[in-house]
Amino acid sequence: MVVSFEFPPIMRRQKPEVLAPAGSLATVKTAIDFGADAVYCGGKAFGMRSAPRNLSMEDFEEAVAYAHARNARLFVTCNILPTNDEIDAMNTYMGELGEIGVDALIVSDIGVLMAARQVAPHVEVHVSTQAGITNYQAANAFAAMGASRVVLARELDLEAIRGIRAQVPADLEIEAFVHGSMCMAFSGRCLISQHLTGRDANHGDCAQSCRWKYHVVEEKRPGQFIPVEVTDGGTFLFNSHDMNVLAHVDEILDAGVTSLKIEGRAKSAYYVAAMANAYKTAVNEYMIQRGYEDEDGRSLRPFTHQLSAAEGYTPHEGQQNGPVVLPEWLLEEPMKVTHREYSTGFYYPDHPAGENIVVGGYMNDWRWLGNVLRFDEAEGRLHIYAKNKISPGMDIEFLFPGHAPVVYRVPAEGLRDENGDPVGQINHPAHEFSLPCDRAIPTGAMIRAQVRARSLPLAPPAAAAS
């Protein structure tokens, strides 16, 4: 069942932009409804994720219309490393996307970039992180070839990003990953999956072999201690941390990044909704506290990368030039989606990303329980579409855009099924139920609950915020 959303209009920005992932048409709509300024997704071929359902040409047409009607944008991944026999089909595909009206093509191959300029001349070209851009010379070279944006290699720290921003044209946009899974290979160019399983990661078919459990032995150095085997049961040697820099959005934007990219085209609609909302809310706080906008979203001055006081920046009255302060509920949001152990990636050299060599699976302390269908004010009842079990006495949260989650305890009585008959608990997924509620919750709000005790700190180490 597709749940429609009825949220207040959301202000969109191109700079700074919150860029969310989507693996299906429904998730594209969810990302936009929960605050994303732009969404990136793939088609049935030529993208770096083959596991999600991805979008058909008909889906792209509907996605473009949905996005543009809400002042959002749609980007499509064309970032595989194509073989000779794929070139003609890929060029035709990019031309068709241009005719549909997508806003950008994300590419990694130089030949694909040049072809995109020919077959879809009115579409922006963004250079993928797969291209491994680590310096301003490379960024400028891609700009000279027609790229309007570069997605930086994930291995860069903030100082390197500042250096790139200072040496590239002002209109060249810089995109950087801020949240989600990280790859142990440089900028995602990995051959482990292809070597072990025949599934080519560079054609979007990664088996995530780096997450498997390994024993490592160096046969020519017997007795020499190699600190990789944690227990007799082996080690998850290549299992990289996930990235979470929500607490440091201000420093990343100040360094010159214009688009904050959330990883996760294979993730659930709930994950996309929660993280799009979290980073959108953080950027809103940044824009207000840095003096770019007032509380109502009215522009006070154009957005540029933040200047220090020594460089001539003068805060607006009542605004601060120091760290942007985010509410505690917002910093908790990354803990409420499926994740591995978090790090701040490579933004802070003193706290680089590492690997969790003991545990290989996901941490999933919270569960998506369903969506709100409608609120009946006359009856004081909330109608929901259930995905998981909801029991009396359970503390649940309602998640909707731009708002702290609303906490609600499920009453001991008053639960009803879709026919209006009383039930002891909500335990039939994909069915409609209703429950008493004294607050109007918007249609489309997501329902969740904590099912396990918190396993990790709320935010990256404070020391990383240097």
Side-chain angles (χ1 to χ4, degrees):
M1 181 179 184
V2 177
V3 179
S4 60
F5 297 87
E6 295 181 2
F7 300 135
I10 294 173
M11 184 181 66
R12 312 288 177 186
R13 306 183 186 91
Q14 290 190 22
K15 297 179 183 180
E17 173 189 88
V18 173
L19 177 58
S24 68
L25 175 60
T27 308
V28 169
K29 295 180 178 180
T30 298
I32 293 170
D33 289 325
F34 276 81
D37 301 301
V39 180
Y40 69 101
C41 50
K44 299 298 184 181
F46 309 123
M48 286 299 294
R49 291 292 182 274
S50 64
R53 281 181 290 170
N54 292 320
L55 281 73
S56 66
M57 283 299 178
E58 292 76 16
D59 290 337
F60 280 129
E61 290 188 41
E62 185 173 343
V64 167
Y66 193 89
H68 291 180
R70 291 157 181 79
N71 297 317
R73 300 199 295 164
L74 190 79
F75 308 154
V76 179
T77 57
C78 300
N79 56 339
I80 67 163
L81 302 179
T83 58
N84 288 333
D85 57 2
E86 293 174 311
I87 296 298
D88 290 343
M90 189 167 190
N91 293 349
T92 298
Y93 171 69
M94 292 191 295
E96 292 173 348
L97 290 171
E99 292 175 0
I100 287 172
V102 303
D103 296 284
L105 301 174
I106 304 171
V107 309
S108 60
D109 180 87
I110 294 176
V112 174
L113 186 157
M114 301 307 290
R117 302 309 304 134
Q118 295 176 352
V119 301
H122 303 297
V123 179
E124 293 182 16
V125 177
H126 299 173
V127 179
S128 170
T129 190
Q130 298 282 127
I133 298 172
T134 60
N135 59 76
Y136 67 84
Q137 182 171 259
N140 283 329
F142 281 114
M145 286 186 278
S148 62
R149 175 182 298 190
V150 291
V151 188
L152 298 182
R154 302 188 204 193
E155 294 77 20
L156 298 183
D157 61 26
L158 286 178
E159 187 59 34
I161 295 173
R162 291 188 194 101
I164 291 173
R165 177 74 276 171
Q167 296 290 335
V168 301
D171 61 351
L172 180 64
E173 297 176 348
I174 293 178
E175 180 180 309
F177 280 91
V178 293
H179 200 93
S181 298
M182 297 182 67
C183 183
M184 57 78 59
F186 175 72
S187 293
R189 287 200 170 191
C190 182
L191 297 175
I192 295 177
S193 174
Q194 186 174 26
H195 174 68
L196 294 181
T197 70
R199 291 173 55 179
D200 187 354
N202 295 307
H203 271 70
D205 198 24
C206 182
Q208 294 207 10
S209 308
C210 57
R211 313 293 184 188
W212 299 350
K213 182 181 290 189
Y214 292 91
H215 287 78
V216 177
V217 177
E218 210 296 293
E219 64 178 347
K220 295 185 179 179
R221 292 185 285 177
Q224 182 172 340
F225 178 67
I226 302 174
V228 293
E229 188 171 348
V230 177
T231 69
D232 291 340
T235 175
F236 296 89
L237 179 62
F238 309 113
N239 185 31
S240 63
H241 291 158
D242 280 3
M243 184 191 297
N244 169 23
V245 291
L246 183 64
H248 309 294
V249 161
D250 54 350
E251 295 176 297
I252 293 170
L253 292 176
D254 288 351
V257 172
T258 47
S259 178
L260 306 178
K261 187 170 194 171
I262 301 166
E263 183 276 338
R265 282 197 286 134
K267 299 289 180 65
S268 70
Y270 164 66
Y271 171 96
V272 172
M275 292 302 93
N277 178 58
Y279 280 89
K280 180 68 170 183
T281 304
V283 170
N284 289 346
E285 289 292 333
Y286 172 89
M287 296 296 282
I288 294 169
Q289 295 183 39
R290 280 285 186 267
Y292 291 111
E293 296 172 358
D294 64 16
E295 293 280 352
D296 296 321
R298 288 187 291 264
S299 178
L300 299 176
R301 61 191 178 98
F303 171 75
T304 59
H305 75 283
Q306 185 69 19
L307 300 174
S308 68
E311 293 173 306
Y313 169 63
T314 302
H316 286 252
E317 183 178 356
Q319 306 299 330
Q320 301 297 319
N321 197 25
V324 170
V325 179
L326 301 179
E328 191 65 25
W329 73 262
L330 186 58
L331 296 174
E332 292 184 10
E333 285 298 294
M335 306 308 301
K336 297 180 179 182
V337 297
T338 299
H339 63 279
R340 299 181 182 90
E341 186 175 347
Y342 281 129
S343 75
T344 52
F346 294 95
Y347 287 110
Y348 302 95
D350 292 340
H351 299 272
E355 65 275 284
N356 190 328
I357 55 178
V358 179
V359 178
Y362 282 102
M363 300 173 185
N364 194 7
D365 298 340
W366 287 71
R367 182 172 297 158
W368 181 18
L369 303 179
N371 293 76
V372 172
L373 292 174
R374 64 188 180 280
F375 176 70
D376 189 325
E377 186 175 1
E379 294 187 358
R381 298 192 67 80
L382 195 66
H383 293 256
I384 70 170
Y385 180 74
K387 293 182 67 67
N388 281 294
K389 181 179 177 181
I390 301 176
S391 302
M394 177 185 288
D395 287 328
I396 62 176
E397 290 186 356
F398 297 108
L399 173 70
F400 47 95
H403 197 285
V406 174
V407 180
Y408 175 76
R409 178 160 292 178
V410 179
E413 297 179 349
L415 304 184
R416 298 178 187 170
D417 63 17
E418 58 191 346
N419 298 316
D421 297 326
V423 294
Q425 59 184 359
I426 296 171
N427 59 358
H428 293 290
H431 285 74
E432 181 178 338
F433 293 86
S434 68
L435 63 159
C437 186
D438 58 3
R439 177 165 181 174
I441 304 297
T443 295
M446 292 191 170
I447 308 167
R448 66 188 179 192
Q450 187 172 9
V451 294
R452 298 181 186 84
R454 179 173 288 124
S455 53
L456 288 173
L458 295 180
S466 59

